[in-house]
Amino acid sequence: MPVPTEELKLQIVNAATGQALGAKAVPGADGALVVRDFPDGGPSPEQWQLSPVQAAQGQDDQSYVIRNAAGGKVLDDPAAADRGVRQWDAAAGRKGQQWHLVPVEGEAGLYFIEGATDGKVLDLDDPGTEHTRVVLRERDDSAAGQRWRFVTAEPERTSDPVLRYAPLSHWNGRRSWRLARSTALRPAPGASPSFSDVLLVLRRFGSDQDAGGWQRAGDPRCPSGQPGWWAGLGERVLADTTGAGLADIVGLKPGKGTVASAGQGDGTFADDERVLHPPTPSPSPKDLWTLADTTGNGRPDGVVLAADGVRLFLQDEKGRFAPAAGGQPVLKAFGHGPQAGAWQADKHPRLLADTTGSGRLDIAGFHDDGFRVSLQDADGTFAPLAGEPALKAFGHDEKAGGWRADKHPRFLADTTGDGRLDIVGFHDDGVWIALQEEDGTFAEPLYVLDDFGTDQEWTSVEECPRFLIATTGGEGVDIVGFGPQGVVVARGRGDGTFEPSRLVLNDFGSAQGWTGKKHPRFFADVTGDGTPDIVGFGDDAVWVSHNRGDGHFERAQLVCRGFGYNDDAGAWRVEHHPRFVTDITGDGRVDIVGFGGPGVYVARNLHRRFRTR
């Protein structure tokens, strides 16, 4: 578990006993601290906050003041003969109130709490009848009593209970009704932004037979609708098919090809299906498709990863899509057939990206033997793949690192600000990066951060999504993920490395009941301030946590009832009902769109305090 930020309240729990750090049942004047049981019905365990201390110049070790969230007293080393620790009044600059948090090697989420004065660590004294005194001793890597876990408090969220009339019986047999709270929630009056009621705007593109019987042919590949998605047969996405700035509905229909329903700009969509382009020759459920401007003319083109390679459908000025290269593949690679490299969706991620900063999109991917890339020339042609990979790393085979698509996400991102994309990957042990040199080659991978890997309980891509985004609205990219304990951020330094990870929000993680099988979570600028906010589709509603602009996030607000997993929230399922947050009205504010059973549902962003119910 990463170190929680100072805003979060947490219990400090001893790993050996499972008991929480706190005062005695009858606190004394000495402020002595113990670990003990806190029975039900009695006082709750103390909650603490970790406040980082400004490090002196040239000092690498981060120190913290550990503060009682209720009384403000801090963890203190009085240097007493018995080496007992206490909670005491804070004194600015006092070394005896500063602590290092040292991760226990091989034990995710466990720490030694080390004093900044002499390196002694928190340990347990001889057990007492009701409690065990906490003392300082020499560090012993084999001592279970010296290991501590941080358990964050329950998340605080902003919402209002829904009032309903409840029957009230009287002694004489008469009945009346009174307003009573229900288990349902609604947006609080100050929720921002506010959304309209969920409306069914189009009886097409739904999973019900009357709405087209749309079903994915494989695993979902575009859960957030963000750049870089690939869609398979039966999938539906939102995309600007014309370059006009409005989102249209796009779907891959068996036997018909790529079809679209044009956005009307008012939150609705045209009640017809326009064929963008027919299926590729010998279409397969393994084909993947996306929209991207490959020519730089401002109009998106269709890109298909077919059996025989990469096929392009170029869009002309009238919005018509025509096959490029005379209907032949523009690149005989990156396809799922043996003649194109036998790339498999569950093993070999592929991307469209401007890898060199030339302004042209290239095609890149991670195959068995490593990273491969085809650069696009100035005339729009793609270079054949070289015999050897551009980097013999980040690949599926053990010789290339043993990277697994379901466990180890890989990205292309500019981590240094030089305009060239670097490779960033999350393996078992943490984060690896390969910087791109000026000549287009890639340096050998470097291990830069011991977090965000399966060894730190980031179990899979589905359960623990990770992203590379600029959390502060700047040009540098940070690592942000939905981890076991909540939202974790590692700020980019601009040189290809990252600061130590921090738990910035105790929400949206598996500890708070969020799971990839039920709850899509991603980032979108819902406020229009240029910084990405957290959007989560929970059991009962849509929740948004606003970005404060400094890499931290506010408590989650309920912004829209509906689009949730529970029956009273629509019974939305990840495997059948894709959901998106995007602007469908052209007003610069994102709306919520979901493909349910009967068709397409929309909740418009009202951007004012007025809401319908």
Side-chain angles (χ1 to χ4, degrees), residues 578-594:
R579 283 152 281 179
F580 301 87
V581 176
T582 190
D583 179 13
I584 61 172
T585 61
D587 62 0
R589 301 176 179 89
V590 295
D591 311 289
I592 303 172
V593 183

Side-chain angles (χ1 to χ4, degrees), residues 35 110 121 137 141-142 161 189 201 203 216 237 267 310 318 366 477 481 566 573 576 597:
V35 295
L110 296 183
V121 300
R137 288 200 178 112
D141 290 343
S142 64
V201 299
R203 295 186 180 276
R216 288 186 174 114
V237 298
V310 181
K318 296 183 179 180
F366 301 91
V477 294
N566 291 345
R573 298 293 182 263
H576 298 304

Side-chain angles (χ1 to χ4, degrees), residues 437-497:
E437 309 288 0
E438 292 184 5
D439 60 359
T441 61
F442 289 85
E444 286 299 310
L446 296 174
Y447 181 62
V448 296
L449 192 63
D450 57 345
D451 200 2
F452 298 101
T454 58
D455 290 350
Q456 296 86 30
E457 299 181 337
W458 296 72
T459 53
S460 68
V461 172
E462 179 185 40
E463 290 301 322
C464 300
R466 281 144 280 181
F467 303 84
L468 285 173
I469 57 175
T471 62
T472 61
E475 295 181 357
V477 294
D478 311 310
I479 300 173
V480 188
F482 301 104
Q485 300 297 328
V487 181
V488 179
V489 173
R491 297 285 300 278
R493 293 190 174 113
D495 60 357
T497 65

Side-chain angles (χ1 to χ4, degrees), residues 86-443:
R86 63 182 181 177
Q87 56 177 338
W88 207 250
D89 293 331
R94 174 173 159 76
K95 274 288 188 178
Q97 295 179 352
Q98 297 178 16
W99 307 86
H100 298 146
L101 305 179
V102 182
V104 177
E105 186 174 354
E107 297 285 348
L110 296 183
Y111 290 86
F112 297 106
I113 302 178
E114 178 186 87
T117 53
D118 56 7
K120 299 290 196 303
V121 300
L122 263 60
D123 197 355
L124 301 184
D125 201 0
D126 295 331
T129 56
E130 297 180 356
H131 58 256
T132 303
R133 184 78 185 272
V134 177
V135 298
L136 285 165
R137 288 200 178 112
E138 291 287 347
R139 175 171 154 183
D140 180 358
D141 290 343
S142 64
Q146 295 183 359
R147 305 179 183 200
W148 302 84
R149 174 179 288 108
F150 301 127
V151 179
T152 54
E154 290 294 318
E156 298 177 354
R157 298 171 179 165
T158 304
S159 62
D160 264 3
V162 173
L163 297 180
R164 291 177 177 169
Y165 281 104
L168 186 64
S169 299
H170 298 273
W171 64 271
N172 57 5
R174 300 183 62 182
R175 301 189 71 186
S176 60
W177 285 261
R178 61 182 177 86
L179 282 175
R181 294 191 176 193
S182 71
T183 57
L185 300 174
R186 67 176 183 178
S192 176
S194 31
F195 289 86
S196 70
D197 283 337
V198 179
L199 301 175
L200 178 64
V201 299
L202 183 65
R203 295 186 180 276
R204 291 178 182 269
F205 296 97
S207 57
D208 293 349
Q209 289 301 315
D210 293 343
W214 288 76
Q215 299 290 336
R216 288 186 174 114
D219 294 332
R221 302 180 185 93
C222 49
S224 63
Q226 296 189 10
W229 53 263
W230 293 101
L233 191 66
E235 293 197 64
R236 296 141 288 166
V237 298
L238 290 172
D240 179 5
T241 64
T242 63
L246 289 177
D248 307 316
I249 297 172
V250 183
L252 299 184
K253 201 165 191 177
K256 197 170 184 179
T258 306
V259 300
S261 176
Q264 305 296 295
D266 59 357
T268 65
F269 299 89
D271 191 18
D272 62 358
E273 295 178 0
R274 177 171 64 98
V275 177
L276 297 184
H277 61 76
T280 59
S282 303
S284 166
K286 297 181 180 180
D287 292 350
L288 299 177
W289 175 91
T290 193
L291 275 177
D293 180 9
T294 63
T295 62
N297 62 6
R299 296 186 296 272
D301 310 302
V303 184
V304 181
L305 303 178
D308 52 3
V310 181
R311 290 177 173 269
L312 277 183
F313 293 85
L314 300 178
Q315 185 177 179
D316 61 22
E317 295 180 355
K318 296 183 179 180
R320 297 172 298 197
F321 288 77
Q328 297 299 312
V330 297
L331 181 64
K332 294 182 179 180
F334 297 104
H336 54 83
Q339 69 273 34
W343 293 70
Q344 301 178 43
D346 59 349
K347 289 184 178 181
H348 309 130
R350 285 154 283 178
L351 311 98
L352 284 173
D354 178 9
T355 62
T356 62
S358 66
R360 299 182 294 271
L361 288 181
D362 311 308
I363 306 175
F366 301 91
H367 207 278
D368 290 333
D369 53 359
F371 175 72
R372 292 179 171 271
V373 61
S374 171
L375 302 179
Q376 185 180 178
D377 299 328
D379 60 0
T381 60
F382 291 88
L385 289 187
E388 294 292 325
L391 184 65
K392 294 181 179 180
F394 298 98
H396 184 81
D397 287 348
E398 293 302 320
K399 290 183 178 180
W403 293 74
R404 300 294 180 260
D406 61 338
K407 292 183 178 180
H408 308 135
R410 284 150 282 177
F411 299 89
L412 294 179
D414 181 7
T415 64
T416 61
D418 61 4
R420 298 184 295 271
L421 300 187
D422 312 304
I423 303 172
V424 182
F426 301 82
H427 210 285
D428 292 336
D429 52 358
V431 183
W432 290 79
I433 187 168
L435 299 178
Q436 185 177 175
E437 309 288 0
E438 292 184 5
D439 60 359
T441 61
F442 289 85

Side-chain angles (χ1 to χ4, degrees), residues 53-61 63 95:
V53 178
Q54 183 68 37
Q57 188 172 3
Q59 181 179 342
D60 294 331
D61 290 338
S63 298
K95 274 288 188 178

